[in-house]
Amino acid sequence: MQLSSALASGALLSATALAANSTSSVPSSCSIKSGASVTAQADLDKYAGCQTLVGDLTISGQSLTGSAALANVQEIDGSLSVNNATKLQSFSADKLSKISGSLEMKYLTLLESASFGSLQEVDSIEFLTLPAISSISTNLKTVNQLLVSDTNLESIDGFNNLEEVSVFNVNNNKGLTQINSQLQSVSDALQIGYNGNDADIKFDSLVWANNITVSNVSSVSFNKLQSVNASLGFIENSIESLNISRLGSVGGTLSIVGNDDLTEVLFTNLTEIGGALLIANNTDLVQIEGFKNLKTVGSALNVIGNFSDLDLSSLKSVKGGCDVETKSSNYTCDGLKKLQKNNGIQGDAFVCKNGATSTSIKLSSTSGASTASGSSSSGSSGSSSATATSSSSSKSKAAAAGQVVPASSFMGAVAAVAVALL
Ligand SMILES: *[C@@H]1O[C@H](CO)[C@@H](O)[C@H](O)[C@H]1NC(C)=O
Ligand SMILES: *[C@@H]1O[C@H](CO)[C@@H](O)[C@H](O)[C@H]1NC(C)=O
Ligand SMILES: *[C@@H]1O[C@H](CO)[C@@H](O)[C@H](O)[C@H]1NC(C)=O
Ligand SMILES: *[C@@H]1O[C@H](CO)[C@@H](O)[C@H](O)[C@H]1NC(C)=O
Ligand SMILES: *[C@@H]1O[C@H](CO)[C@@H](O)[C@H](O)[C@H]1NC(C)=O
Ligand SMILES: *[C@@H]1O[C@H](CO)[C@@H](O)[C@H](O)[C@H]1NC(C)=O
Ligand SMILES: *[C@@H]1O[C@H](CO)[C@@H](O)[C@H](O)[C@H]1NC(C)=O
Ligand SMILES: *[C@@H]1O[C@H](CO)[C@@H](O)[C@H](O)[C@H]1NC(C)=O
Ligand SMILES: *[C@@H]1O[C@H](CO)[C@@H](O)[C@H](O)[C@H]1NC(C)=O
Ligand SMILES: *[C@@H]1O[C@H](CO)[C@@H](O)[C@H](O)[C@H]1NC(C)=O
């Protein structure tokens, strides 16, 4: 086996393309010299007699116009890259069933369609900057890493039948308004963001993922999701209801930030967060009752907003500090102060503020001494707006049923949030 170098560039981490050498039966005319590049259909025609191509095939350049096809090749023992052929309008390789390395299509300004009608297995796929493309057909069953970014695709149905991947990253595809995926696990990263403004995403077979980040979608459905090994983030979406009610644990940080339309969060089975819990800038989130079974938070507890209810009634341990701030005077800090007094909050900082009072303690390194100041003698706690409750539950049904809800949130810097979590 040898490492291919054809993947050196690209936003997706270059996967290692494995060029096997058990192919001594392949005629030398079907073996591609490294560094060779195809610039005309006539060059592709030279491979018409090849069932298997060995090596990395790069198709590039301005002289390819109209359509190009790789006619009879069934397998590429190496990678296939079509890039910078800015006059190419369509590409097909309909006999091709397997690419051992990567399939890249990048910077193809006029490309309207690509067809890989038999393609079942590829190590990694990178579709990047395809502003004219409306359809890609495949029959894919096995892909390790998938990146689809900055395309005009309205559907990624060709990728919906994948069941296991390491990376699934679909971002900045302005025409893409829905994803309905059969994925069962994502061993590295699931990232969805900045697609069509009303994008509606369903991952109802997904049981676990290493980490998940979702931005700029209007509804999500993760009906089977049980665990996230690392971080889980919902950043600047127009989601109204977040119902991830089977999720039992998040190994890293759970962030719910900048979701302006969010009125309901249901993480009712969640008992354990290995990192921080960050809930901030969700302007309409008045009642936060979906964390009532949460027992441990492995890092900081940060909840900032206008909430009048925050039910953390099972919380036993917060390993980091606590910063809970709300404008509402209906929220009472009593529960958290009690937890802090009992050493349930182990970090140095303890801040709890509501519209009426504020409690701030900076403990010295000899922790334990809790001199909580500020009595929260605020108004009657617990009660909250009945209208908000009923409208949120009807919205949540719409979201759970997968209807598209118009979006109106703003894109944001996920990276900035990640920094804020440190
Ligand atoms: C395949 O590669 C291995 C290691 O690079 C080498 O030892 C072996 O001779 C090669 N086999 C053929 C058939 O080329
Ligand atoms: C293709 O175009 C991109 C963007 O314009 C550029 O960064 C890259 O170097 C080009 N690659 C080749 C092989 O010409
Ligand atoms: C997701 O996990 C991968 C691999 O562990 C890591 O490289 C990446 O930074 C993670 N992304 C986020 C947003 O946590
Ligand atoms: C939340 O989702 C679960 C399925 O995962 C469903 O049974 C439940 O009814 C939903 N709850 C609400 C309030 O929509
Ligand atoms: C993540 O969690 C799943 C389910 O608990 C487990 O099968 C998998 O091995 C874990 N993956 C990593 C990278 O820890
Ligand atoms: C709740 O989470 C636990 C893991 O903590 C899991 O075993 C259990 O099946 C989940 N329950 C539901 C109803 O999804
Ligand atoms: C919340 O919004 C404010 C103002 O836009 C910003 O300064 C702050 O960083 C945001 N908080 C988070 C956690 O994103
Ligand atoms: C609180 O609500 C007001 C108005 O509804 C909004 O402008 C403000 O950004 C909200 N603050 C937070 C922290 O969500
Ligand atoms: C706070 O409580 C008062 C008295 O019960 C109630 O009238 C008001 O609507 C509550 N405010 C919020 C934001 O829940
Ligand atoms: C995110 O959504 C908002 C409104 O829904 C939109 O204005 C913004 O352009 C989107 N961001 C991106 C990068 O698509």
Side-chain angles (χ1 to χ4, degrees):
M1 299 215 219
Q2 71 188 50
L3 279 183
S4 159
S5 58
L7 284 175
S9 67
L12 190 64
L13 289 179
S14 58
T16 53
L18 303 176
N21 70 352
S22 58
T23 42
S24 43
S25 58
V26 170
S28 65
S29 58
C30 298
S31 173
I32 302 160
K33 287 197 184 63
S34 79
S37 174
V38 163
T39 55
Q41 178 63 46
D43 297 331
L44 287 173
D45 291 342
K46 289 181 193 151
Y47 300 121
C50 301
Q51 214 173 48
T52 299
L53 278 181
V54 176
D56 300 325
L57 180 60
T58 301
I59 301 169
S60 194
Q62 305 294 309
S63 48
L64 279 162
T65 55
S67 53
L70 184 62
N72 297 321
V73 176
Q74 292 171 22
E75 186 170 338
I76 295 178
D77 219 334
S79 295
L80 172 60
S81 169
V82 187
N83 66 57
N84 299 49
T86 49
K87 293 183 178 147
L88 190 63
Q89 286 171 290
S90 75
F91 181 80
S92 64
D94 281 324
K95 294 266 170 61
L96 191 59
S97 69
K98 179 177 174 186
I99 300 173
S100 69
S102 63
L103 168 61
E104 297 178 358
M105 303 200 81
K106 305 201 287 196
Y107 315 116
L108 305 171
T109 334
L110 297 185
L111 190 77
E112 288 166 5
S113 69
S115 177
F116 300 92
S118 308
L119 191 60
Q120 298 209 5
E121 191 177 340
V122 185
D123 182 61
S124 74
I125 286 189
E126 188 175 341
F127 289 154
L128 180 65
T129 310
L130 306 175
I133 199 149
S134 56
S135 75
I136 292 182
S137 63
T138 78
N139 184 25
L140 277 164
K141 302 217 161 54
T142 307
V143 174
N144 183 24
Q145 306 194 18
L146 176 72
L147 171 67
V148 180
S149 178
D150 190 22
T151 76
N152 195 40
L153 286 174
E154 288 172 12
S155 147
I156 56 161
D157 290 353
F159 305 120
N160 281 346
N161 295 327
L162 298 174
E163 295 184 348
E164 286 176 18
V165 297
S166 71
V167 172
F168 192 96
N169 183 342
V170 177
N171 71 74
N172 288 287
N173 305 289
K174 298 301 175 210
L176 187 63
T177 55
Q178 62 139 328
I179 299 175
N180 188 352
S181 165
Q182 305 300 311
L183 273 178
Q184 293 168 15
S185 67
V186 177
S187 61
D188 188 353
L190 172 58
Q191 289 166 290
I192 306 290
Y194 317 117
N195 296 301
N197 280 341
D198 50 0
D200 174 27
I201 67 166
K202 281 192 184 192
F203 286 85
D204 281 340
S205 301
L206 189 69
V207 176
W208 67 271
N210 184 53
N211 61 30
I212 301 179
T213 309
V214 176
S215 294
N216 253 60
V217 309
S218 71
S219 78
V220 298
S221 183
F222 286 104
N223 278 344
K224 288 211 175 108
L225 187 64
Q226 285 186 15
S227 70
V228 174
N229 311 53
S231 60
L232 172 60
F234 297 93
I235 317 292
E236 298 186 354
N237 296 285
S238 56
I239 298 169
E240 294 173 356
S241 169
L242 205 46
N243 175 7
I244 323 275
S245 55
R246 302 199 68 173
L247 184 65
S249 68
V250 175
T253 289
L254 171 56
S255 316
I256 302 172
V257 175
N259 303 288
D260 286 340
D261 300 336
L262 192 63
T263 55
E264 178 180 58
V265 284
L266 294 170
F267 287 77
T268 40
N269 193 36
L270 184 63
T271 55
E272 204 183 322
I273 297 175
L277 173 59
L278 174 62
I279 304 177
N281 290 0
N282 306 292
T283 45
D284 286 351
L285 191 58
V286 175
Q287 292 178 286
I288 309 178
E289 293 174 329
F291 292 95
K292 58 178 77 149
N293 288 313
L294 183 63
K295 292 192 177 70
T296 60
V297 174
S299 180
L301 173 65
N302 289 339
V303 186
I304 318 289
N306 288 325
F307 54 91
S308 56
D309 280 342
L310 169 63
D311 187 344
L312 295 172
S313 46
S314 301
L315 191 62
K316 296 280 179 307
S317 166
V318 175
K319 299 258 160 47
C322 168
D323 184 0
V324 171
E325 300 179 34
T326 178
K327 298 270 189 312
S328 166
S329 54
N330 288 14
Y331 175 70
T332 165
C333 292
D334 291 353
L336 285 174
K337 280 196 276 183
K338 194 172 162 208
L339 186 63
Q340 204 265 339
K341 217 171 248 171
N342 296 335
N343 293 325
I345 295 173
Q346 286 134 42
D348 282 351
F350 180 84
V351 174
C352 188
K353 291 182 188 168
N354 64 18
T357 67
S358 134
T359 299
S360 288
I361 303 169
K362 183 95 182 166
L363 293 177
S364 67
S365 51
T366 55
S367 70
S370 59
T371 48
S373 65
S375 61
S376 61
S377 53
S378 52
S380 54
S381 60
S383 75
S384 50
S385 151
T387 28
T389 312
S390 64
S391 80
S392 76
S393 66
S394 64
K395 278 167 184 168
S396 83
K397 276 180 199 117
Q403 291 162 18
V404 175
V405 188
S408 66
S409 84
F410 230 85
M411 80 160 277
V414 176
V417 172
V419 168
L421 299 181
L422 295 178

